[in-house]
Structure formats: structure tokens, C-alpha cells
Amino acid sequence: MFPRVLKHILHTSCYRLYIRSPLVRFCSSKQMCVSQSAPKTQEDAFKRIEEKIYFSSYVQDNSLSLNYRQNKIFEMRLKKLEKDTARQRVGLQPFPVALQHIYGEVLNEPAEDTDSEHDEEGDYLPYEHMALKIERKSVDANTMSESAPTTGQWMSDYEYYEENENDDRTSFYGTPDPNQPVSKIPCGGCGALLQCAEPSIPGYLPSQLFKKLNKQQLAVTICQRCHFLKTYNTAINVTVSPEDYVEMIARIKDRKALVLLMVDLLDFPCSIWPGLSDILGCSRSVIVVGNKVDLLPKDCPGYLENIRHNLTKSVIEAGFDKNNIKHVALISATTGYGVEELITKLHNIWASRGDVYLVGCTNVGKSSLFNALLRSDLCKVQARDLVQRATACPWPGTTLRMLKFPILKPSDYRLYLRTKRLLSERLQKIEELKLRKHQAKNTGMTQQATLIGHIGCTFSAPTVPSKDRFSVSQQGSANAPILTLNEKSDIYINSKWCYDTPGVVQPDQITNLLTTDELLQVLPKQMIRPRAYLLKTGMTFLLGGLARLDYLEGLPSTRILLYSSPNLPVVICDTEYANEVYQTLLGTVYLKVPGPDSRRLAKWPALQATTDILLKGAGKHVSVADILLSSAGWVSINLPVDVEASFRAWTPERRGIYVRQPALLPNGMNLRGKRIRGSLAYRLGKTFVKR
């Protein structure tokens, strides 16, 4: 990336010179600032308030100090860095081929560069009605080539039905039939009952498809919404109220069941529904599951225990009884870290005394964990390939009704076989962990420092299925069997079940205010690299268009650490000009989120402040507290011992502003980079401490 930017700069003849603004007071009159092209109207807006801005991460990231001599030095340093990196990689012990592929993944495979793809896509509202014109084509099934376009299991047929252009309801979404009754078969992706009566109700399928499918075929079909989420990452409008979500969760209260309370470690306590303990019952056994631990940087050797302690404290403050919390697990449903240990705890603590419910707010990873448990020793072997995977998507509220799979009864012999398998894999995991640590220390690569795990299966499915296990029918001329789980079979009739419940929309979260493209910008995908800044009294810190932090009183300057998605830009200005700067830059690339759509900006809620936050220092290089800015991220405050400072936080509609004490990562200052000369920012921080 860096040489490519340098090459672009060296061949560019149009440079802009900034010499008056405090934003670039670290640049001399001989230095030039090159910015990637932003829309001219946005540049004009920035020029109007340029004198009032001290720092903009967008400008800094797209700027380089240039003159002939510095360019030569810069080129030499780049060449030296490339040689040193190549020399280090040659000296590193490579991953054995067996270790690279034993988990079904290539550990050293670089991430694909999808910047060009995203640049070509326009912003869209996730509930926007998409009108796509599709031409009907006559297709002969016998002569169709392998390269014929297809868009999925049911959409491949969906593209070729007759459309009535005079019917306003006919579109890319198909034609509804209000006279057709709702089926009793749930969608395999979200759990909603399949129907063709109304597109705005969950579980919708076009009548052209719904009517021609029998019960067995519907049982393996996902609804239109799940198909668009999986294939196009687009959410279709549905009408489900938060009250319906809470009503579904309340059904657990009168049942003997264990609750897996899932919490997003990047967004708590905002991802803990207020009053959930009352909804579930005061005596409910709970296992707390902190998800996305792989995205948190390692600030000290014992950082996982600090995170577990902080999470337990927040859950107790949310109303849960400490005696009912049976275990606190830190996992990553995406990489598999900690999932095997969670299954072992489930077997030891709960066994098969009752059902298990995955409960939590939207977008905490319930569906991802459900899919991980489905292919593990927790699920009955016979049902492992019959239950469809839940739809996992960044858009809140993906699961609309309860999905489930039967739990394998952990007999003593089965537990023995499972323990034997885990012990046999232990040495292999230890060696892999040592190798990853060695490569992480020598290369500093975030990928090697990421926590990963392996989810294995001790038991395999029997080769000869019994008669009652499946419901089999024929589909089309190919006579392809459709296999569905028969709950009335002797195998499942007395089983306990693991349920994936709908996500409850937390009022403190701002995720439901964002479009799909904005969600992808706000939610981190890789381990967070903390960004450090020097904040002076009377200054304001803007995190995109989502949050604002004012430094009111205290030391002349203090250091703060920002934990958020790297895609969210930062702007620092005087507090007296903060409102003007925010309103001017809202909808531009300098704040990025929300997007530039004028209609959307007109509906965007205003930032509102809480009461002043008073903090007292805990020690040098120790973060005294975190100021949580809803789902946008959080800011860790560093203050010397017994030194007091006051702050004021702002978010849309005053959502999700909390003070976490102690800080989630109290030693995060160890991860900061070096101070950029003449700037309020530090260089990009590390993701782990090398010891």
C-alpha cells in the first residue's frame, strides 16, 4: 500500500500547500500536503472551518510531507524496510503444511484487497426498495451450460418466471398472494414461518415459488430476506416490533433451561438488555459468554482475566445474581477460540437437564455461535447435517424466530471419548501456539497474534440411516432427495434442544440508526489497533459523526486512547467551535459516517450530552476509566495519581454513554506508537505486548 501511494505522489503534479491552518502547523512552508480527491463541495466546506481545526485523521492519512531531499530519504528508507522485512521472513520458521491446513484454513493467507470493489458500490439504505428489471429468457434445462448465471438455491428458478408489468406489486421481489395461508414451516435461516401473503412480514417467499413447493421442499428453503442477506448483504424491510422480541424471550421464564447470555466485548454494557434478569427470572442459571475477544488487543500478559473481571462486574450491575452466574467464558464465534472450552463447561455444569437458550442483544454473534455449536459435540450426530445454518449478518435483528438443534446427551462414555480427543489435540495446539507467538514477535503481524481455536467432532454419523430419521421426497425430474429433521422420531422426541433466540434491540445502541454500508464501516473486522491522542483543556474530540468528547477541566494536557474501527475518522478542534465544525463536516469524508445523502442527514438525530464526567487518576501509563460512546467505540483516559479531570460526552440522542471503571484494557498505553512531531496524534499503536 505504501509504495503504491508513494508512486502516485511522485507522479502527481498538483500539490496543495497548507501554511496557515493550525491543522498543519507541523508542516513547514517547503512541505506540501497531498490529499486524495474528495468532492469539491466537501473541500469547500472544509476550507471554511480549516482555521478552527487542530487535527484531522483523514487529512493526515492522505497527506505526506514532500520535497526533493525528503523524497530521496523516504525512498531509501522504504527500500531498507523492504529488505529488512524480507530478511526476517527468510529467517522465520515457516508453518508446516499440515498445520496450515489441519483446521481447514490457510493461516498465512493474506486478506483480499476489496477496496476497489467497495469504491464502485454506492451507498444504499438497507431497507430501500430495489427495483431491478429482469428480462425473461427461455431456457432449456437440457442445453443449459455450466456457465449459466445462478443466484442461489431458489433464486435460480426465481429469475425466469413470468412478470406482470401492469401489477405494481410485481418486482424483483415477486408477486404476493394475500389469499394463501401461512405455512407452519420455519425458515432455516431466521426461523420465521414461510409465507407469500405479505413481503413486509418475516418469512416471505414469492407466490411463484411458495405455491409450487411441497412441505419437504419448503423445509430446506430459506426466505427471501435471508437469501438477500447471505448473497447480496442487503436487508429487506420487515415489520417486527421490539415488544415481539421481548415476548419471545419471556417464554423461557417458566421453563427449566440454561441461558447462554451473549455479550459483545466491544459494546458492553450497551449489549446487555436492561431488565433482562427480570424477564428470564431471578433464579435462572446463566453462563455469560463474552464474544469477539479476538478483536481486543493484548495490553499485558494477563489481559484476559482483566476482561473477564470487567465483564462479570457489568453483568452483576445489570441485575443478575452473582450466585446464578455459573461461568464466564471469553470466546470468538468467528475464529472458534474458546468454543471447545465452553462446550466442556456446558457438559459439566448442565449436561442434559434442560434446554439451552442463546440470549442477547442484536449483533452480539448469537447466530455465529449457534452455527459453531451445530457442528460440534453439543449437537446430536444424526441432526448435524439436517439443521440449516442460521443467517449471520451485521444488520441487527437477523434472527426473527427461534432456531434450534437437538443436544447430544453427554454420557460418561461419550465424555471419556471427547476428553481423549481433546488431550490428543493438546500437544498439537501448544506447538501451534508457540509457532504463532514466535512469528508474531518477529513480524508484528496482527494476523499471527489473533486468538484462534479449533472446533472438532468426536463422533461421526452412522453410515446406514434408520427409517424414521429423515423425511424424504423427490424434487423435480432429478429425483434429488430432501432430508429434513423429523422431531417426532424416536431419536429426537425426548431430546433437549439448543435455541438461537432473536436479538433484542437495545435502546442504547446506535447500530439501528446506520445503513448496511455504515455498519460495515463501524464494526471492526480485525484486531483493534488503539489510536493515541494528546488532548488539551478546551478541546473537543469528534469520532466520525457518531460521538463527541469535550475535555473541560484538568491538567493542561492528557493522553487518551481510542478503541474503535480504523474506518472512523477523528477531528480535534476547540470546544467553542465544535458545533460549527460538526455541522459543517457532517456527511463529508472528514467524518464519513453518516453518509452524504441529504435526505438521510435531515433525519439524523442531533448529538446530545450527558452530565459532566469527573475522573481521578490511577497512575502513570495506567488508564483510569473508559468512556463508552455507544456502539462507536470507547476512549480510555490516562491521568496521573490523584489528579482530577472532567469530560463531557455526546452521542446521537444521548445513547449508550457509560463510564467503565476499571478500564477494560488498563495498560493500553503500552500499545501506543511514537508521537508525531508537531501533531496531537501518535503513530498507530501495536496490537500486543511482546512479552
Side-chain angles (χ1 to χ4, degrees):
M1 180 64 186
F2 218 43
R4 190 169 59 201
V5 173
L6 179 63
K7 182 178 179 181
H8 168 72
I9 292 171
L10 294 177
H11 290 80
T12 302
S13 59
C14 298
Y15 305 129
R16 293 192 57 197
L17 180 62
Y18 296 104
I19 57 176
R20 295 178 300 170
S21 173
L23 172 65
V24 287
R25 55 180 57 169
F26 58 89
C27 297
S28 67
S29 59
K30 295 183 180 180
Q31 293 173 325
M32 300 205 174
C33 184
V34 180
S35 176
Q36 291 182 354
S37 59
K40 192 168 184 179
T41 55
Q42 298 185 15
E43 287 190 358
D44 295 339
F46 182 78
K47 285 181 181 179
R48 292 199 303 268
I49 46 94
E50 184 179 355
E51 297 288 343
K52 301 173 183 177
I53 295 178
Y54 288 100
F55 173 80
S56 170
S57 62
Y58 175 82
V59 174
Q60 178 173 281
D61 293 343
N62 294 283
S63 304
L64 284 175
S65 300
L66 297 177
N67 60 39
Y68 178 78
R69 179 60 182 167
Q70 288 176 340
N71 283 340
K72 298 297 289 184
I73 296 175
F74 190 59
E75 287 179 349
M76 293 172 59
R77 290 179 178 177
L78 275 179
K79 291 180 180 179
K80 185 178 182 300
L81 180 61
E82 291 176 356
K83 290 182 179 179
D84 293 343
T85 304
R87 191 180 299 111
Q88 286 181 354
R89 289 180 176 176
V90 170
L92 284 177
Q93 182 181 359
F95 271 109
V97 175
L99 274 183
Q100 288 185 4
H101 296 277
I102 196 166
Y103 294 159
E105 59 183 7
V106 181
L107 300 175
N108 286 331
E109 184 178 357
E112 295 182 359
D113 186 7
T114 58
D115 293 342
S116 59
E117 298 179 4
H118 290 298
D119 292 339
E120 296 176 358
E121 298 177 357
D123 295 334
Y124 59 88
L125 292 174
Y127 285 174
E128 184 179 10
H129 185 77
M130 298 174 61
L132 243 63
K133 182 65 175 178
I134 300 180
E135 297 180 357
R136 174 174 170 78
K137 301 178 181 179
S138 58
V139 180
D140 186 358
N142 298 325
T143 59
M144 183 181 293
S145 63
E146 296 181 357
S147 60
T150 177
T151 55
Q153 182 178 358
W154 56 272
M155 289 295 289
S156 57
D157 296 330
Y158 183 72
E159 289 189 358
Y160 303 110
Y161 68 77
E162 288 281 1
E163 289 189 353
N164 183 3
E165 297 182 358
N166 297 323
D167 190 347
D168 295 335
R169 298 178 303 170
T170 302
S171 68
F172 188 58
Y173 301 117
T175 306
D177 185 358
N179 299 322
Q180 192 74 14
V182 179
S183 71
K184 296 182 180 180
I185 300 173
C187 167
C190 65
L193 296 180
L194 296 174
Q195 52 86 23
C196 67
E198 176 56 49
S200 63
I201 298 177
Y204 173 72
L205 273 176
S207 60
Q208 290 87 349
L209 296 176
F210 182 83
K211 293 179 180 179
K212 72 177 185 180
L213 299 179
N214 57 35
K215 292 183 179 180
Q216 289 76 19
Q217 291 171 327
L218 283 175
V220 292
T221 302
I222 60 174
C223 70
Q224 189 185 67
R225 179 175 184 267
C226 288
H227 176 79
F228 272 78
L229 283 171
K230 288 182 176 181
T231 308
Y232 306 113
N233 199 26
T234 302
I236 300 176
N237 188 20
V238 293
T239 55
V240 180
S241 63
E243 290 76 13
D244 293 336
Y245 287 127
V246 179
E247 183 180 351
M248 292 179 186
I249 301 299
R251 299 175 188 173
I252 307 173
K253 192 170 186 177
D254 300 327
R255 299 182 182 180
K256 184 178 181 181
L258 174 72
V259 168
L260 293 182
L261 176 61
M262 291 201 66
V263 181
D264 186 352
L265 292 176
L266 305 182
D267 190 19
F268 76 93
C270 288
S271 57
I272 304 176
W273 177 257
L276 185 59
S277 59
D278 298 330
I279 298 173
L280 297 175
C282 57
S283 59
R284 177 71 55 200
S285 298
V286 174
I287 291 180
V288 181
V289 181
N291 191 26
K292 305 181 184 179
V293 69
D294 59 311
L295 301 181
L296 291 174
K298 177 182 177 181
D299 67 326
C300 64
Y303 79 115
L304 290 179
E305 287 304 317
N306 294 336
I307 296 172
R308 184 177 283 107
H309 172 74
N310 213 314
L311 176 60
T312 306
K313 181 174 178 289
S314 295
V315 172
I316 294 174
E317 290 175 352
F320 288 88
D321 190 347
K322 184 178 180 180
N323 296 325
N324 294 335
I325 301 176
K326 304 303 181 183
H327 179 63
V328 179
L330 302 180
I331 71 161
S332 170
T334 303
T335 66
Y337 176 82
V339 176
E340 286 281 23
E341 290 76 8
L342 174 61
I343 296 172
T344 301
K345 283 293 181 181
L346 282 170
H347 286 159
N348 296 336
I349 294 173
W350 190 248
S352 58
R353 287 183 286 174
D355 296 331
V356 176
Y357 287 83
L358 291 173
V359 176
C361 293
T362 56
N363 203 37
V364 296
K366 296 187 302 301
S367 296
S368 297
L369 180 60
F370 179 85
N371 293 337
L373 296 177
L374 180 59
R375 62 177 188 267
S376 71
D377 287 339
L378 192 66
C379 178
K380 278 196 172 183
V381 179
Q382 297 88 344
R384 192 174 294 154
D385 296 327
L386 303 182
V387 180
Q388 293 195 50
R389 270 56 174 168
T391 303
C393 178
W395 184 253
T398 304
T399 303
L400 302 176
R401 292 175 63 91
M402 293 187 185
L403 306 173
K404 64 179 181 179
F405 65 79
I407 297 176
L408 180 70
K409 185 177 181 180
S411 62
D412 292 340
Y413 180 67
R414 286 172 176 167
L415 291 178
Y416 164 74
L417 293 179
R418 171 177 165 79
T419 304
K420 186 177 179 181
R421 175 181 68 83
L422 294 177
L423 289 176
S424 65
E425 296 174 354
R426 185 178 179 183
L427 181 60
Q428 172 188 306
K429 291 181 179 180
I430 292 175
E431 291 301 320
E432 180 189 350
L433 182 61
K434 288 181 180 178
L435 196 54
R436 289 176 64 85
K437 284 184 176 179
H438 173 71
Q439 290 201 350
K441 288 181 180 180
N442 285 274
T443 63
M445 294 175 61
T446 301
Q447 186 180 6
Q448 304 301 338
T450 302
L451 299 175
I452 64 170
H454 169 57
I455 305 173
C457 295
T458 307
F459 315 103
S460 58
T463 55
V464 181
S466 62
K467 290 184 179 180
D468 297 335
R469 186 168 305 159
F470 308 127
S471 297
V472 182
S473 67
Q474 304 300 323
Q475 179 184 9
S477 59
N479 295 326
I482 298 178
L483 305 179
T484 60
L485 187 147
N486 183 7
E487 297 181 24
K488 297 180 180 180
S489 169
D490 295 338
I491 298 177
Y492 307 114
I493 194 168
N494 295 319
S495 297
K496 305 303 179 183
W497 298 81
C498 179
Y499 291 90
D500 177 19
T501 65
V504 185
V505 180
Q506 228 280 30
D508 281 339
Q509 294 178 312
I510 61 173
T511 50
N512 59 335
L513 298 176
L514 306 176
T515 66
T516 304
D517 288 341
E518 291 167 353
L519 275 173
L520 296 176
Q521 298 291 333
V522 172
L523 301 178
K525 296 296 184 295
Q526 295 181 342
M527 186 181 293
I528 296 176
R529 303 184 70 177
R531 291 179 277 176
Y533 300 95
L534 188 69
L535 207 61
K536 299 182 179 181
T537 51
M539 285 187 177
T540 290
F541 175 91
L542 295 174
L543 178 58
L546 304 178
R548 164 183 164 183
L549 183 66
D550 301 340
Y551 184 20
L552 303 178
E553 294 179 352
L555 292 175
S557 63
T558 185
R559 287 179 295 194
I560 64 173
L561 273 178
L562 172 64
Y563 297 88
S564 72
S565 169
N567 298 319
L568 289 179
V570 169
V571 173
I572 299 178
C573 62
D574 284 324
T575 303
E576 59 179 316
Y577 303 123
N579 287 331
E580 180 185 356
V581 171
Y582 178 80
Q583 293 298 332
T584 303
L585 298 183
L586 189 65
T588 68
V589 293
Y590 302 97
L591 293 182
K592 202 167 188 177
V593 178
D597 188 355
S598 58
R599 293 176 299 176
R600 170 159 174 71
L601 294 177
K603 298 179 181 179
W604 181 255
L607 297 183
Q608 298 180 15
T610 59
T611 56
D612 295 351
I613 301 171
L614 183 63
L615 300 175
K616 191 174 183 179
K620 188 177 181 181
H621 303 312
V622 176
S623 298
V624 59
D626 295 334
I627 299 179
L628 188 69
L629 303 172
S630 190
S631 306
W634 70 91
V635 176
S636 292
I637 308 298
N638 180 255
L639 294 171
V641 180
D642 297 332
V643 173
E644 294 185 348
S646 61
F647 299 84
R648 183 180 297 140
W650 307 61
T651 57
E653 299 175 344
R654 204 182 290 111
R655 295 191 182 194
I657 300 176
Y658 292 94
V659 178
R660 281 195 306 228
Q661 284 185 303
L664 185 64
L665 300 170
N667 300 293
M669 283 295 167
N670 297 331
L671 304 176
R672 75 184 189 279
K674 293 182 179 180
R675 174 87 178 274
I676 299 175
R677 182 180 299 178
S679 173
L680 297 174
Y682 290 75
R683 299 192 185 279
L684 198 60
K686 301 175 289 185
T687 54
F688 58 94
V689 177
K690 295 184 180 181
R691 64 171 185 267

